[in-house]
Amino acid sequence: MSTARPLSRAYHPKYDVEHRRDVLEFLRAKGCELRPAYAALGIAYFLQQRLRRDAICGADIRALFPRREERLAGTLRNAHDILRRAAARGLVESLGSGWYTITPLGVAVVEALPDDQRVAELRGCRTVSCGMGRRRVAHADDL
């Protein structure tokens, strides 16, 4: 992707089946059902670290986010909002026009998942629940 990016709202990415499968395997390797924000951060990490993308936007997250039945992440409500909030927390950096890049802190958090204690330490949280990367849900087959 060149440095002259379109407005993120005009960008409609198309990923092939292999890219989607690779992203899902990356998230599955975390060994738990992630919160949507951490799943989105994992997708950003994958696109930038593995596919060498220089920037990502909400459309990338929406295109690659796991479906509910895959049980890898909670429900995605607003990908752009997740990226804005992650930028406020220093996990991604805004490049303008809806584009973001993952920060070294974001990289460290993704690599630490699913270790909630380590994520909390990296983020400077006082409690482990603040860094909780996994969703707190009980599935029928877990009972």
Side-chain angles (χ1 to χ4, degrees), residues 8-126:
S8 65
R9 292 177 192 251
Y11 175 66
H12 303 287
K14 302 247 189 282
Y15 292 101
D16 60 25
V17 174
E18 287 181 34
H19 284 135
R20 180 164 172 68
R21 185 179 56 238
D22 292 344
V23 167
L24 295 178
E25 286 304 315
F26 175 75
L27 294 175
R28 190 170 285 115
K30 296 300 176 184
C32 64
E33 186 173 343
L34 298 169
R35 287 183 174 181
Y38 287 116
L41 190 63
I43 293 168
Y45 174 94
F46 184 86
L47 290 173
Q48 292 198 261
Q49 300 292 322
R50 303 252 177 109
L51 297 184
R52 301 292 181 215
R53 290 276 305 276
D54 65 338
I56 53 102
C57 72
D60 293 307
I61 303 300
R62 273 193 315 278
L64 294 170
F65 202 83
R67 291 183 208 86
R68 186 72 194 130
E69 61 270 11
E70 292 165 327
R71 296 172 62 182
L72 296 174
T75 305
L76 178 67
R77 288 185 169 63
N78 186 330
H80 292 286
D81 187 49
I82 284 178
L83 289 172
R84 274 193 304 274
R85 290 177 187 212
R89 290 169 177 82
L91 300 171
V92 296
E93 180 182 353
S94 176
L95 301 174
S97 299
W99 292 93
Y100 297 85
T101 186
I102 196 164
T103 63
L105 175 60
V107 168
V109 165
V110 171
E111 290 173 351
L113 286 170
D115 183 349
D116 299 328
Q117 179 69 39
R118 181 72 183 128
V119 171
E121 289 171 9
L122 288 167
R123 293 190 54 213
C125 299
R126 288 181 281 203

